[in-house]
Amino acid sequence: MSTLDMDQALPTFLAESRELLEEMEGALLSVLDSEERQELVMINEALGKIQQGLFGVCEDCDEPIGLKRLLARPTATLSVEAQERRELKQKMFGD
């Protein structure tokens, strides 16, 4: 196969590969329960934050999330303090 043929075949190959991966992801999601699906969403969000350079930054206060928290829960989006505030508010106001 010549380089030109390969260059022309590459977009088709990539499109077919992407389609196959989407089908596989759909099949995988169908066997996961809702809790597992939520965890997968959180993992994908954490990976996106890594790519954006935002991993480990609290969504509430923009301060760093502590290393111990990230080691214990890599998908954490809030610092311990922000999480505690949120839980207290939910407990007090039922939000």
Side-chain angles (χ1 to χ4, degrees):
M1 182 177 272
S2 72
T3 303
L4 182 59
D5 291 338
M6 289 177 64
D7 287 344
Q8 291 172 341
L10 185 60
T12 302
F13 172 76
L14 291 175
E16 290 172 356
S17 297
R18 188 173 298 116
E19 186 177 310
L20 180 59
L21 285 172
E22 288 171 359
E23 288 175 17
M24 290 172 61
E25 183 179 26
L28 175 63
L29 288 175
S30 70
V31 298
L32 297 176
D33 66 28
S34 63
E35 200 170 296
E36 291 169 324
R37 276 189 230 121
Q38 181 60 30
E39 187 69 22
L40 185 58
V41 166
M42 293 172 68
I43 290 168
N44 283 327
E45 288 173 357
L47 291 172
K49 287 183 179 196
I50 290 170
Q51 291 176 337
Q52 297 167 3
L54 299 173
F55 180 76
V57 177
C58 178
E59 290 180 351
D60 247 16
C61 63
D62 294 325
E63 294 292 322
I65 298 172
L67 181 58
K68 284 184 181 181
R69 179 160 172 79
L70 289 174
L71 289 172
R73 186 169 177 83
T75 57
T77 60
L78 300 173
S79 66
V80 170
E81 296 82 8
Q83 182 67 38
E84 288 173 349
R85 285 191 305 269
R86 183 172 285 183
E87 289 173 5
L88 181 61
K89 182 180 175 185
Q90 288 174 342
K91 188 175 184 178
M92 290 175 64
F93 302 108
D95 289 337

